[in-house]
Amino acid sequence: FDESLITQGDATRGQQLYSRSSCIGCHAIKGNPSSMGVIGPNLTHVGTRYTLASGLYPNDAKHLAYWIKSAPHLKPGSIMPTIGKGLVDPVRKNTVTLGGLTDAEIADIVAYLLALK
């Protein structure tokens, strides 16, 4: 992840990106009618959480960005797929193309999620 982008994320753009991404298929966010998934954790108040990945990492912009980009690289066995554009998913063995997110898009989604208090 290009860490220089972390401070440049925009929560408004992030909400728009999140709401039309594959994220909505697995996660729910109260107040976001696009996000009604039930497979992944509910993200309604994700900005108030102290940790990610069942306590493995602090819930900060850097770790959240890496988690979104490729959860299986951080926590083998995670069911969340790699969504960083151009990366190879270590479980599915595919290169992420269509539907993948750039580092700038991930930074925007991170800004949105961390604003959810």
Side-chain angles (χ1 to χ4, degrees), residues 22 26-27 52-54 56-57 63-85 87-96 106:
S22 60
C26 296
H27 297 283
L52 302 169
S54 300
L56 291 177
Y57 302 99
H63 289 94
L64 185 54
Y66 280 111
W67 181 260
I68 292 169
K69 188 167 185 165
S70 186
H73 282 99
L74 293 177
K75 183 181 178 189
S78 171
I79 63 170
M80 185 166 157
T82 298
I83 59 175
K85 191 173 258 182
L87 288 182
V88 175
D89 187 296
V91 175
R92 294 152 192 88
K93 309 294 186 207
N94 66 308
T95 300
V96 179
I106 290 171

Side-chain angles (χ1 to χ4, degrees), residues 21-64:
S21 74
S22 60
C23 305
I24 62 174
C26 296
H27 297 283
I29 294 176
K30 186 176 181 181
N32 184 334
S34 299
S35 189
M36 303 300 286
V38 295
I39 296 168
N42 185 303
L43 300 177
T44 300
H45 300 290
V46 70
T48 64
R49 295 182 190 162
Y50 294 106
T51 62
L52 302 169
S54 300
L56 291 177
Y57 302 99
N59 185 22
D60 57 28
K62 176 178 132 181
H63 289 94
L64 185 54

Side-chain angles (χ1 to χ4, degrees), residues 8 18 87:
Q8 299 174 28
Y18 173 92
L87 288 182

